[in-house]
Amino acid sequence: MWPETDKTQQLLQGARDGDTSARDALLQRHRDSLRRMIEMRLDKRIQQRVDASDIVQEVLVDANRRLADYLENPKMPFHLWLRHMAKDRIIDAHRRHRVSGKRSVDREQNMNVGFNMDQSSVDLAAQLCDQNTTPGAAATMQELHIRFQAAIDQLDEQDREVVIMRHFEQLSNQDVAAALELTPAAASMRYLRAIRRLRSLLGPTAVDE
């Protein structure tokens, strides 16, 4: 989902050297990944009021303003730095825009409230239900969506987060560890635990690893 690292490092070096074209290219090559991450996390009801592209633009403007500070002291990979800013913007959007009903769209600022499932969630649900079946053979797409959403909602916040980051954002275990401030070993164990828990929650057809 996120651009490959080698080219990013070249552009970061160019930006350090004062190359404005490298700076612009660096930000633009992450635009699509930012959009996908934001659309995945932004509550669908919020998306009726806020265009994901507006949040992307806000993040990129902020990143451009703060890039010199980042280059001076890059404490995390560039894509995680952008992701962190995007996460803050999504939280702000959930705080500002509320819908009628008993629960607000931020749900106590839970970052996973806006998680929008797609075909990848159906694929993962099918794999966890039965490693030898396809989504179409296991159940209808709608049924798998419902089962997966119900199951992932029962995970605790960090377990849910690690599944979303690994499978839907396609972040490496090292990236997940850095983003969640865990050791790589702890992030790996949390991921395995979350997958086992998901498998058990998806129903009686689930099989253990």
Side-chain angles (χ1 to χ4, degrees), residues 156 158-159 162 180 182 185-195:
D156 69 40
Q158 277 206 329
D159 284 352
V162 76
L180 297 181
L182 299 171
S188 180
M189 288 301 297
R190 183 174 292 277
Y191 169 71
L192 291 174
R193 183 182 71 184
I195 288 297

Side-chain angles (χ1 to χ4, degrees), residues 71-82:
L71 293 174
E72 184 176 341
N73 185 23
K75 295 181 179 179
M76 63 182 71
F78 183 73
H79 63 285
L80 292 186
W81 182 63
L82 287 178

Side-chain angles (χ1 to χ4, degrees), residues 4-15:
E4 51 88 13
T5 303
D6 290 345
K7 180 62 175 177
T8 295
Q9 290 302 317
Q10 294 175 15
L11 292 172
L12 284 168
Q13 186 57 54

Side-chain angles (χ1 to χ4, degrees), residues 8-9 11 19 24 46 52 67 87 91-93 100 111 114 118 133 142 145 150 173-174 178 190-193 202 204:
T8 295
Q9 290 302 317
L11 292 172
D19 185 346
D24 292 343
I46 294 293
L67 186 59
K87 193 173 177 180
I91 290 174
D92 288 342
S100 60
M111 270 301 301
D118 57 12
T133 60
Q142 182 177 4
H145 273 217
N173 185 64
Q174 282 191 320
R190 183 174 292 277
Y191 169 71
L192 291 174
R193 183 182 71 184
L202 279 168

Side-chain angles (χ1 to χ4, degrees), residues 153-187:
D153 282 349
Q154 292 182 61
L155 298 179
D156 69 40
E157 184 174 350
Q158 277 206 329
D159 284 352
R160 185 165 56 242
E161 179 73 0
V162 76
V163 171
I164 293 172
M165 292 171 75
R166 285 288 298 271
H167 281 278
F168 305 106
E169 293 190 53
Q170 300 174 13
L171 293 174
S172 69
N173 185 64
Q174 282 191 320
D175 282 346
V176 171
L180 297 181
E181 298 183 345
L182 299 171
T183 66

Side-chain angles (χ1 to χ4, degrees), residues 122-135 137-139 144 147 199 202-208:
V122 177
D123 293 342
L124 176 58
Q127 291 168 20
L128 294 176
C129 286
D130 187 335
Q131 294 175 340
N132 298 315
T133 60
T134 63
L144 282 173
R147 289 175 65 189
R199 183 170 287 148
L202 279 168
T205 58
V207 294
D208 204 352

Side-chain angles (χ1 to χ4, degrees), residues 20 32 54 65 77 84-85 99 102 143 147 161 163 177 187-188 201 203-205:
T20 56
D32 289 344
D54 292 336
R65 179 178 59 83
H84 180 75
M85 286 190 284
V99 296
K102 295 181 180 179
E143 289 169 343
R147 289 175 65 189
E161 179 73 0
V163 171
S188 180
L201 290 168
T205 58

